[in-house]
Amino acid sequence: MGEEAAKPSEAEESGNTSSVVVVVPQESESAMRTIPVEGSSSTKSSPWCTPIRLLVIFCVINMLNYIDRGVIASNGVNGDRKKCDKNGVCTAGTGIQGAFDLNNFEDGVLSSAFMVGLLVASPIFASLAKSHNPFRLIGVGLAVWTFATAGCGGSFNYWSIAVCRMLVGVGEASFISLAAPFIDDSAPAAQKTAWLALFYMCIPTGIAIGYVYGGLVGNHLGWRYAFFGEAILMLPFAVLGFVMKPLQLKGFNEAGKAVTSAKTIDPVSGVKEVPEGKGDVPAGHGQFSGKISNKTSWSKRALRQISRFGKDMKVLLKDKVYLVNVLGYVAYTFVIGAYSYWGPKAGYSIYQMTNADMTFGGITIICGIVGTLAGGFFLDRISSTINNAFKLLSGATILGGALCFGSFCFKSMYGFIAFFACGQLFLFAAQAPVNFVCLHCVKPSLRPISMAMSTVAIHIFGDVPSSPLVGLLQDRLNNWRNTALILTSIFSVAAGIWFIGVFLHSVDRFDEEENEEDNADTGKSSTTKTSVEENPKRVEPSEP
């Protein structure tokens, strides 16, 4: 093979792009072809959507998601049921509960119905990212969210609003699974955790704004207009997801499929080599016989998606670093979820707080913002590695848990508030590092499913069962102080699990490329030997 064929282009020598030189086993020198590697500087993206703008857009979308959580729980939207006194004088119901005459159980189911859609759709969207452009999937999810939120405002009975709340969760699922990987790709290398911290800071901020927004709009215009307002605010971002040039995730090509370090491609037609007699290409048509037929039944496509999801799950379940990180996150979320639900009631019972909900809400908002940002910036400061992330997670959680445990031992309300606030600062510092580990302990093509399954796990095993279980414990003990102390002690379990992660062999796989591609069309795994050099990367096929 001639020297000119292996010589890098001027663009490559200048460092403006990163590429893979693919050698096809043919006699002609024209068989060598350069293909851009996704995630490198050559990745195509919208010139308008700079990394900073993308971060701002995703932060606003994330805040709108959590504003909706605050709205559905606010007094102005949630309201009260119709009440009648002993004399038969009745007071009209307000909000959703009054409009549909809901009891407390129905009202509670309604407020958490979005979780059903979220848990079901998260792994689906993450799996679809392997075969569809992830940015377009976010656009689809935001469109579903927008119409579902507007549907909540136009609902005519209990079941219609319940279904719309589930669809809100479906729309949110695409964003939760795919937004963090996009931010991780866009962030400067030295500020990745800080950018994630800014993104997750929107959670407590959004909930707080939702309480205020829902109360103001619900009390003055009616609860339906609060949902209509949310839909109007989200609509431009849903449209943007379809009209803007789709961004590419590291580890995925333009179609959304996971890329590998080498592909055997016809230099003329650009079609993958399909072994004769395999796939949809009829036997006898040669090595490069044109495009593979897309006429595949929906059932086959569904089975292919399920098979791909199963293989991805096998990889995740064998990854000790990922499992330890998620298990610690589950224990952590178990306590945080119970705090958010039972905290005001416990505070009122123990310290006779007149405004327990405002006190706990204020502490959570301030400490959530400051603690989340501090955790991200601190990890970047000490070098954002998986090992350092586990050290920060275990240290901050055990210290924060100890302060919160001590706060419930105080008889003075002011001592409780001071210690509890300091504890919350340390506890919220875990938000960015735990998601950093989820993103960097797996290969780029597995990041969406990694984030999706982490979200599913912390809800199914964390905050969803914690509230009723703590309620059962309180029924048994009938002492909120003891119940709070037992609950808070679970932080030591989370810290202990994360401490195990410090001793695990961990590798940051952000820049790792797959050496094998599971050929979905032929059902055959194509193995290729690779030789990775400096830019440009050179990939050679295995010997026959």
Side-chain angles (χ1 to χ4, degrees):
M1 183 167 293
E3 296 180 358
E4 294 181 359
K7 185 177 180 181
S9 65
E10 294 179 0
E12 293 167 342
E13 291 177 341
S14 65
N16 290 334
T17 185
S18 175
S19 60
V20 172
V21 179
V22 179
V23 182
V24 180
Q26 290 185 354
E27 295 179 358
S28 171
E29 292 183 2
S30 64
M32 183 177 293
R33 182 178 176 186
T34 301
I35 303 173
V37 176
E38 298 304 328
S40 67
S41 57
S42 64
T43 299
K44 296 179 181 180
S45 63
S46 171
W48 175 85
C49 193
T50 62
I52 292 292
R53 285 175 179 169
L54 182 69
L55 176 64
V56 172
I57 289 171
F58 279 0
C59 282
V60 173
I61 294 172
N62 200 31
M63 192 172 294
L64 285 172
N65 278 325
Y66 282 90
I67 284 175
D68 179 72
R69 307 268 185 96
V71 164
I72 194 68
S74 68
N75 288 330
V77 171
N78 195 4
D80 295 300
R81 199 176 186 182
K82 177 182 177 181
K83 295 179 181 178
C84 297
D85 59 20
K86 295 179 180 179
N87 298 323
V89 179
C90 297
T91 308
T94 60
I96 296 173
Q97 197 170 11
F100 301 128
D101 193 28
L102 307 181
N103 57 38
N104 289 330
F105 175 77
E106 292 172 326
D107 189 32
V109 169
L110 190 62
S111 65
S112 58
F114 82 96
M115 195 71 72
V116 176
L118 180 70
L119 297 180
V120 172
S122 289
I124 293 175
F125 275 111
S127 182
L128 287 174
K130 289 289 190 76
S131 56
H132 298 77
N133 182 273
F135 193 77
R136 288 290 186 251
L137 289 177
I138 290 179
V140 171
L142 295 182
V144 172
W145 193 97
T146 301
F147 286 111
T149 307
C152 291
S155 56
F156 51 87
N157 60 20
Y158 173 70
W159 289 108
S160 65
I161 192 172
V163 170
C164 287
R165 293 307 301 169
M166 292 180 192
L167 291 175
V168 167
V170 171
E172 186 177 332
S174 70
F175 184 73
I176 286 180
S177 304
L178 302 171
F182 273 112
I183 293 174
D184 195 47
D185 281 354
S186 304
Q191 299 175 359
K192 286 186 177 294
T193 322
W195 281 40
L196 287 174
L198 286 168
F199 179 71
Y200 287 105
M201 177 203 71
C202 298
I203 294 176
T205 307
I207 292 174
I209 295 175
Y211 283 136
V212 177
Y213 166 78
L216 289 175
V217 176
N219 291 330
H220 289 83
L221 299 176
W223 63 271
R224 295 181 185 275
Y225 288 92
F227 291 115
F228 291 145
E230 288 180 49
I232 292 171
L233 291 172
M234 185 66 84
L235 182 60
F237 298 103
V239 173
L240 189 67
F242 289 101
V243 301
M244 195 178 83
K245 183 178 180 180
L247 306 180
Q248 307 299 326
L249 270 181
K250 182 180 178 66
F252 295 84
N253 63 19
E254 292 188 7
K257 296 181 180 179
V259 298
T260 61
S261 55
K263 292 180 185 291
T264 305
I265 296 180
D266 180 7
V268 178
S269 65
V271 178
K272 290 194 298 183
E273 175 184 353
V274 180
E276 187 172 3
K278 298 286 184 179
D280 295 321
V281 181
H285 282 65
Q287 282 187 328
F288 304 102
S289 55
K291 294 185 179 180
I292 299 173
S293 172
N294 289 324
K295 296 179 180 179
T296 307
S297 67
W298 281 104
S299 60
K300 288 183 178 180
R301 291 182 183 180
L303 288 173
R304 187 177 299 164
Q305 290 288 351
I306 294 171
S307 174
R308 183 181 293 133
F309 175 75
K311 290 177 181 178
D312 290 344
M313 285 301 300
K314 270 187 182 178
V315 174
L316 290 180
L317 292 175
K318 289 181 179 179
D319 192 324
K320 294 179 181 178
V321 173
Y322 180 78
L323 288 178
V324 166
N325 186 56
V326 172
L327 286 174
Y329 202 10
V330 167
Y332 169 92
T333 308
F334 186 95
V335 186
I336 293 293
Y339 271 180
S340 65
Y341 190 81
W342 292 113
K345 195 163 188 175
Y348 178 80
S349 175
I350 299 171
Y351 299 104
Q352 288 75 51
M353 294 180 182
T354 54
N355 294 313
D357 52 348
M358 295 297 293
T359 302
F360 273 83
I363 292 174
T364 301
I365 293 165
I366 296 172
C367 296
I369 294 172
V370 176
T372 303
L373 291 176
F377 282 100
F378 182 75
L379 182 57
D380 283 333
R381 186 79 175 177
I382 63 175
S383 180
S384 51
T385 64
I386 293 176
N387 188 264
N388 283 342
F390 275 126
K391 291 177 182 177
L392 178 57
L393 286 170
S394 58
T397 304
I398 195 65
L399 186 55
L403 288 168
C404 288
F405 188 92
S407 69
F408 286 106
C409 296
F410 277 93
K411 292 185 178 181
S412 167
M413 182 180 69
Y414 299 105
F416 162 79
I417 291 175
F419 267 65
F420 190 74
C422 291
Q424 290 281 73
L425 279 173
F426 284 100
L427 291 171
F428 276 105
Q431 286 290 333
V434 72
N435 288 286
F436 173 86
V437 176
C438 277
L439 290 168
H440 284 251
C441 71
V442 297
K443 292 178 291 187
S445 62
L446 290 178
R447 289 180 302 170
I449 196 72
S450 169
M451 295 301 297
M453 298 316 299
S454 171
T455 302
V456 169
I458 64 173
H459 288 312
I460 289 181
F461 303 108
D463 54 3
V464 170
S466 67
S467 295
L469 288 176
V470 170
L472 288 174
L473 179 63
Q474 170 60 18
D475 289 340
R476 178 69 62 87
L477 299 179
N478 196 28
N479 186 314
W480 273 112
R481 190 187 300 273
N482 291 339
T483 299
L485 290 172
I486 293 172
L487 173 66
T488 305
S489 65
I490 298 176
F491 277 129
S492 63
V493 177
I497 294 173
W498 279 328
F499 187 66
I500 295 173
V502 176
F503 301 98
L504 294 177
H505 175 67
S506 58
V507 178
D508 191 325
R509 299 183 175 180
F510 177 76
D511 291 318
E512 183 176 317
E513 296 173 4
E514 299 179 40
N515 292 324
E516 292 189 359
E517 180 184 10
D518 181 36
N519 193 323
D521 294 314
T522 65
K524 181 178 179 181
S525 178
S526 59
T527 57
T528 308
K529 292 182 181 179
T530 62
S531 175
V532 181
E533 301 177 353
E534 296 296 327
N535 189 22
K537 297 177 182 177
R538 188 178 186 78
V539 180
E540 298 179 355
S542 58
E543 297 179 0

